[in-house]
């Protein structure tokens, strides 16, 4: 990675934009500076490489390429066919499956198309609700999923805060869902895809694994793969997978492949974002390198260290810890009066970016919460290791322990600004 005073493509970009559009240039420079001088602990975010970022800002944005490689509705798609084929082939290799659709604009869109491919409106889907760590596209009432499908919930064991597979099996056998969804937004533990498949088979259901958060870990064996167990896997490409903002659908089931393609286009999208597909190809190429597996192992090692450090300072962790890249911190362990909303605000003032998050069975409303969700993918990309996690935990506790004292926040802000200079972003 270049140091921050080396010439870089993004310096050139900002210089060019300064001429073309000084207002946007100023805003983008501000955002680059924000990312460079703060610690990013949002579990669903990451910092892409320069190659990924600039592929996403390339000539490929100019083209309509509705359809699929070799079967487009527009002329001039020679290079779009090549890049989409490359992205699909690299995706299949990464996840060990026979089919990939790389066109979904985001994770939620991948789920829309997957639902359409697997179910008819009104069919029953069994999923973990958002309040227990699921995603809104798995059946929230106000989302498409909760609007067009009959959603049945499963929960976590109230004592262990872990998936209770025996209970999930009972519910599945009672409600006979068409689809069972596993894969979450705020679950810190390993998912047993084989057990889910056994439940799905018993209940006569299809298994859909939404690996949006853990895709990078699954691709590198740091978390078990959804294949061969899941009938369909959906994912984002921008979380642990460290690619451009986007989605993807994978399967090994030949009968489903054509259906999935048709439900992405023309079922739920128009022209694909070919610049993003080019950037996906670049990111998948990076993820196939041995260094990416090393990165994913470090993400989890960092999460385990951060979790242990917070526990030693009196915080309670949902489920007691983490197996993956994220943890749910129950602030009430440290101080019963602490809320996620206050902590998020105080930490942002201090240069630590994270999000408030409900703890399973949280008595506080979603805009307040008793918890924080913290993840290590972005910090690990910057090169932070386990010893730095100890400093991060100390800063977190200093700010929350002071109840957001403005003098403490200002002091920590300057310490973090100086610290970040040693860990430059890719640019
Ligand atoms: C982030 C996430 C998504 C949605 O991704 P978007 O790109 O924001 O639409 C879907 N499912 C899960 C489990 C997620 O965590």
């Amino acid at each position: 990675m270049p140091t921050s005073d080396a010439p870089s493509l993004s310096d050139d970009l900002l210089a060019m934009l300064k001429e073309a559009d000084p207002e946007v240039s100023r805003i983008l420079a501000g955002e680059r500076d924000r990312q460079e001088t703060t610690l990013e602990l949002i579990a669903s975010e990451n910092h892409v490489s320069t190659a990924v970022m600039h592929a996403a800002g390339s000539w490929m944005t100019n083209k309509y390429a509705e359809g699929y490689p070799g079967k487009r509705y527009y002329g001039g798609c020679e290079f779009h066919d090549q890049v989409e084929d490359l992205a699909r082939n690299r995706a299949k290799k990464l996840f060990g499956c026979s089919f990939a659709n790389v066109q979904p604009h985001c994770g939620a869109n991948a789920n829309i198309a997957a639902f359409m491919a697997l179910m008819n409106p009104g069919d029953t889907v069994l999923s973990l609700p958002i309040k227990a760590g699921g995603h809104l596209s798995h059946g929230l009432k106000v989302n498409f999923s909760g609007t067009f499908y009959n959603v049945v919930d499963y929960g976590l064991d109230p004592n262990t805060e872990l998936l209770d597979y025996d209970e999930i099996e009972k519910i599945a056998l009672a409600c006979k869902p068409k689809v069972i969804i596993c894969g979450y937004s705020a679950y810190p533990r390993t998912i047993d895809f084989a057990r889910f498949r056994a439940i799905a088979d018993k209940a006569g259901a299809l298994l859909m694994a939404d690996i949006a958060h853990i895709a990078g870990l699954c691709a590198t064996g740091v978390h078990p793969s959804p294949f061969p167990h899941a009938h369909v896997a959906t994912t984002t490409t921008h979380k642990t997978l460290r690619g451009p903002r986007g989605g993807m659908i994978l399967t090994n089931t030949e009968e489903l492949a054509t259906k999935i393609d048709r439900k992405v286009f023309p079922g739920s999208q128009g022209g694909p974002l070919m610049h993003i597909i080019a950037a996906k190809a670049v990111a998948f190429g990076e993820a196939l390198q041995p260094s990416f597996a090393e990165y994913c192992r470090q993400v989890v090692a960092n999460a385990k260290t951060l979790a242990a450090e917070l526990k030693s300072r009196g915080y309670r962790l949902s489920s007691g810890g983490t197996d993956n890249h994220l943890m749910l911190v129950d602030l009430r362990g440290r101080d019963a009066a602490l809320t996620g909303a206050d902590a998020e605000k105080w930490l942002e003032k201090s240069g630590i970016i994270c999000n408030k998050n409900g703890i399973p069975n949280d008595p506080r409303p979603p805009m307040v919460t008793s918890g924080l969700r913290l993840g290590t993918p972005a910090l690990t990309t910057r090169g932070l290791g386990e010893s730095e996690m100890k400093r991060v935990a100390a800063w977190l506790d200093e700010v929350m322990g002071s109840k957001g004292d403005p003098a403490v926040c200002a002091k920590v802000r300057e310490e973090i600004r100086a610290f970040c200079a040693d860990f430059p972003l890719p640019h």
Side-chain angles (χ1 to χ4, degrees):
M1 278 180 202
T3 57
S4 47
D5 53 359
S8 72
L9 278 170
S10 56
D11 286 335
D12 288 351
L13 169 70
L14 287 177
M16 180 275 293
L17 254 186
K18 208 166 174 174
E19 291 287 309
D21 191 330
E23 285 176 285
V24 173
S25 172
R26 187 172 38 74
I27 294 166
L28 294 197
E31 173 58 7
R32 186 176 76 165
D33 184 63
R34 184 192 72 82
Q35 290 187 24
E36 262 175 357
T37 64
T38 57
L39 295 176
E40 182 57 73
L41 278 158
I42 295 177
S44 49
E45 295 187 10
N46 214 325
H47 302 289
V48 298
S49 71
T50 311
V52 169
M53 193 168 74
H54 290 279
S58 67
W59 309 270
M60 289 277 166
T61 192
N62 292 332
K63 188 87 196 81
Y64 251 111
E66 280 177 341
Y68 291 99
K71 294 168 289 194
R72 304 284 192 186
Y73 288 81
Y74 292 80
C77 287
E78 178 186 355
F79 298 106
H80 300 78
D81 284 3
Q82 290 180 24
V83 88
E84 186 166 348
D85 270 332
L86 196 56
R88 297 197 295 194
N89 288 334
R90 287 179 176 174
K92 288 186 267 182
K93 196 164 170 198
L94 261 180
F95 292 95
C97 60
S98 62
F99 168 88
N101 184 309
V102 296
Q103 290 194 4
H105 300 333
C106 63
N109 279 33
N111 287 345
I112 291 173
F115 270 48
M116 290 170 74
L118 299 178
M119 290 182 281
N120 292 313
D123 282 347
T124 297
V125 55
L126 176 60
S127 64
L128 186 78
I130 195 167
K131 63 176 193 294
H135 189 260
L136 58 95
S137 62
H138 297 179
L140 189 69
K141 261 275 161 268
V142 297
N143 184 259
F144 89 95
S145 51
T147 305
F148 299 115
Y149 300 88
N150 175 44
V151 181
V152 177
D153 293 348
Y154 60 86
L156 299 176
D157 181 303
N159 297 314
T160 61
E161 297 166 306
L162 298 173
L163 292 165
D164 179 346
Y165 296 96
D166 293 337
E167 183 65 22
I168 296 167
E169 179 169 315
K170 255 190 233 155
I171 301 170
L173 292 176
C175 76
K176 292 277 176 205
K178 192 83 172 273
V179 171
I180 299 174
I181 303 183
C182 60
Y184 315 99
S185 299
Y187 186 68
R189 295 299 188 173
T190 301
I191 300 164
D192 187 344
F193 293 120
R195 182 72 204 274
F196 263 110
R197 174 60 183 263
I199 294 170
D201 284 347
K202 247 186 166 172
L206 294 167
L207 180 64
M208 171 173 155
D210 179 347
I211 57 168
H213 261 263
I214 55 175
L217 311 183
C218 292
T220 51
V222 174
H223 185 288
S225 170
F227 296 113
H229 312 296
H231 294 92
V232 169
T234 58
T235 184
T236 64
T237 51
H238 50 272
K239 298 179 183 177
T240 51
L241 195 50
R242 206 165 67 183
R245 185 159 294 280
M248 175 160 68
I249 308 177
L250 307 164
T251 188
N252 258 332
T253 310
E254 270 320 308
E255 312 88 81
L256 290 174
T258 312
K259 268 193 187 166
I260 291 166
D261 274 349
R262 294 178 67 91
K263 295 306 180 183
V264 174
F265 174 84
S268 59
Q269 290 188 170
L273 308 175
M274 292 309 302
H275 53 308
I276 297 300
I277 289 174
K280 284 172 180 171
V282 175
F284 300 162
E286 291 175 358
L288 285 164
Q289 303 302 314
S291 57
F292 187 75
E294 191 45 53
Y295 160 73
C296 289
R297 282 192 286 274
Q298 190 62 50
V299 165
V300 175
N302 282 350
K304 285 184 185 295
T305 301
L306 184 59
E309 288 288 315
L310 290 169
K311 271 168 90 166
S312 77
R313 289 174 168 81
Y315 296 86
R316 192 188 77 85
L317 296 192
S318 181
S319 83
T322 180
D323 301 328
N324 60 22
H325 63 297
L326 70 81
M327 65 209 72
L328 263 185
V329 186
D330 186 344
L331 305 172
R332 295 167 298 182
R334 176 71 163 77
D335 175 346
L338 280 175
T339 71
D342 281 339
E344 178 192 302
K345 191 179 62 195
W346 300 334
L347 289 166
E348 180 166 358
K349 274 204 263 172
S350 312
I352 299 174
I353 311 301
C354 62
N355 62 282
K356 60 180 171 292
N357 208 106
I359 303 296
N361 299 309
D362 200 321
R364 292 183 172 127
M367 289 305 286
V368 182
T369 80
S370 303
L372 292 177
R373 186 186 65 165
L374 303 179
T376 53
L379 293 188
T380 307
T381 292
R382 290 187 84 158
L384 276 68
E386 283 145 270
S387 60
E388 284 81 24
M389 291 303 118
K390 294 178 184 174
R391 287 204 67 183
V392 172
W395 276 320
L396 283 162
D397 189 49
E398 189 177 355
V399 171
M400 291 192 278
S402 80
K403 297 195 186 305
D405 180 327
V408 172
C409 293
K411 182 194 78 109
V412 171
R413 181 74 195 89
E414 288 320 304
E415 288 172 2
I416 286 176
R417 194 185 298 281
F419 174 85
C420 284
D422 290 336
F423 298 93
L425 289 181
H427 71 291

